[in-house]
Amino acid sequence: MAPNMTSQAFIPFAIGITGHRNISRVEEDRVRPALDAFFSNHARAYPFVPLRLLSGLAEGADRIVARVFLEVRSRLMAEGRDGVANWELVATIPFSEQSYKDDFPETQDEFYELMAAASDVVAVTQTPAEALRREPSLRDNGYEAQGYYMLRHSNMIIALWDGIHLELRGGTSHVVRLKLNGHESPDNPFSVHDCGSVFHIPVQRSEPSNSHAPMAPRHLFPAAHPNGEKDLEELKIAIGRFNQSAHLTVQPDDIAQSLRYLSPSDEDGTAAHQHWLDRASGLDLTVINAFAATDTMASCLDKKRIRFTRVLYGAGMILALALWIGLDRIAQGWMVGLYLCALGLIVALYKRLKQRDLAIDRLDYRLLAEALRVQIYWRMLDGMKSEHEAPDDQPEAEFLHAMVLDGLLSQQALEMGWLREVLRLCGMDRNPTRLSRADRALHLHHWISDQSGYFARTERRYDRQHSILRGMTLAAAVCGILAAACVVWIDQHDLPESLRHYASIAAASLPAAALLLESYKDRMAIEEQAKNMARMKGVFHRSRDRLKGMSTSHMPPLGLIRALGQEALAESANWLILRRSKPTVLPT
């Protein structure tokens, strides 16, 4: 089944669960109000930020939080609360369902009841039940893998925990420490990942233990993030703004058009596109629809910003012209009025740009769209095993998702901010598609050809803009010099005063226009972007040349795919940093 292009492209806020299994009924009744208040407050404060709850559905904390979550969702939906219908429970279990149910033989009915309420199920490992019984260490490995999966795909976690730190790998205290302190990348010990906040609800275990006395629930934040509470709020606000914009502006036809950019095309563009959609059905719809919505909104904001910037600088040129004409006492009343109108227009446009964050949103959405584009291609081409190939023929999609977050974009973590957290949410392949080698090769050839053409066209566009602006700037400067020479010549030859007025206006306004044009060119970073596009064009042109003469069923080395993805991600991140270093300012 193809992705549902008419579904709403909401990005959720993901919450993982960790906690003890042995929680008494008395303790459950005590913590339920805190959980209810947590979910209800979120619904009131962030109506456009749906929740995604990741639960292992084990006895104790996993099921307590899941049940309260479902109860609050049902109550708020009955009240007609906006956005709650998009809340979802995702069962993230350590083994297959048949293997996992053996861990709680007395409560399997409750387990299956919650599994039925889950919108989807992710089995982190597929270890058979016989292997688990034969080798107990595999069970521990599965629970540890589940913990890492939850950390990687959640923005924060809820911990029903007694507060005692133990050394059990994969246990509650271990998961809490990893969320607060992060974990090192195997390739770079200085790069720490998956840090986030923890909503700690203290509980006491049902059996005798050294559990601390119950305390009030509290938020815990990583020591590396001194502004953790503010960062968490800003993340929710950014996701809410994105979702609200998508809800108000993006139409199903827009999403369909953006999705066509991802797919190969034949003569009429229909059969190959449908084939691609069928093969993409295993990807999380959040990824597909988020890319389409983000690409659409980035394109719209790009057009708006260009219009705003042109009007802003055009008003600046009118402002300078009105000032000099007024100073020369020509139509002075009209010039004062024109000057005030131009000044008011500049201030109004500038405030509108700042208030609506059009420039910032455009940059963020464009980078997010490109990162999601790479992630989709990477995982369709490299991360999904063919059923006809050996298990180790390709890395898992989960590994590639880690590469996107850790290996590349961690270097731009401060500049990217909320975007890395959104990419964290868009990495769940719940039912991975198994593509044949021929299908992957077809999509790879399309990706390289499409990107090669895109960078070539974009380089030509930037080169053309740079040449036009450079010519206009040079012409304005030269004409300004000539006008100044005319003023001197008029003074020496006692020509009519009216000629001197016009020459003086030209001598003053044309150099000002040249400066504004140069400032516009610098703010738009046209020359730098042309050079960057030329470099990326060279990368994909060389890759395209390597594919020449190969049939579309030929699959090149996997290293080429990863290298291309790395280059594309790095280019997008560098583009974001470049453009953020040149914000829109009042023309000076």
Side-chain angles (χ1 to χ4, degrees), residues 383-397:
M384 298 181 182
K385 300 174 185 174
S386 168
E387 55 192 354
H388 305 297
E389 296 172 355
D392 58 349
D393 182 72
Q394 298 185 84
E396 293 286 355

Side-chain angles (χ1 to χ4, degrees), residues 112-134:
Y112 283 118
E113 179 185 350
L114 289 172
M115 286 282 283
S119 60
D120 225 323
V121 179
V122 177
V124 180
T125 69
Q126 295 292 335
T127 310
E130 289 186 8
L132 292 172
R133 287 191 289 268
R134 188 173 58 250

Side-chain angles (χ1 to χ4, degrees), residues 10-16 51-56 88-93 118-124 146 148-155 280-290 372 375-376 379-380 383-384 396-402 404-405 420-433:
F10 280 123
I11 292 177
F13 181 82
I15 301 174
L51 293 179
R52 173 187 287 171
L53 188 70
L54 308 180
S55 173
E88 61 175 349
L89 170 65
V90 177
T92 53
I93 56 180
S119 60
D120 225 323
V121 179
V122 177
V124 180
Q146 179 203 19
Y148 277 110
Y149 184 92
M150 181 191 65
L151 290 171
R152 185 170 298 282
H153 294 285
S154 63
N155 303 114
S281 60
L283 290 174
D284 182 5
L285 286 183
T286 303
V287 183
I288 298 292
N289 285 338
L372 290 173
Q375 197 174 52
I376 290 171
R379 286 153 57 198
M380 289 191 70
M384 298 181 182
E396 293 286 355
E398 181 65 18
F399 169 71
L400 289 172
H401 177 244
V404 172
L405 285 175
R420 293 187 77 245
E421 294 298 316
V422 171
L423 290 174
R424 183 190 308 285
L425 301 173
C426 296
M428 296 178 65
D429 287 321
R430 302 172 180 185
N431 300 292
T433 301

Side-chain angles (χ1 to χ4, degrees), residues 13 155-156 180 195-198 219-236:
F13 181 82
N155 303 114
M156 67 173 293
L180 291 176
C195 286
S197 63
V198 176
H219 274 285
L220 306 177
F221 298 99
H225 299 169
N227 300 318
E229 186 172 2
K230 179 182 177 184
D231 293 341
L232 180 63
E233 182 181 3
E234 289 180 349
L235 170 62
K236 292 181 179 180

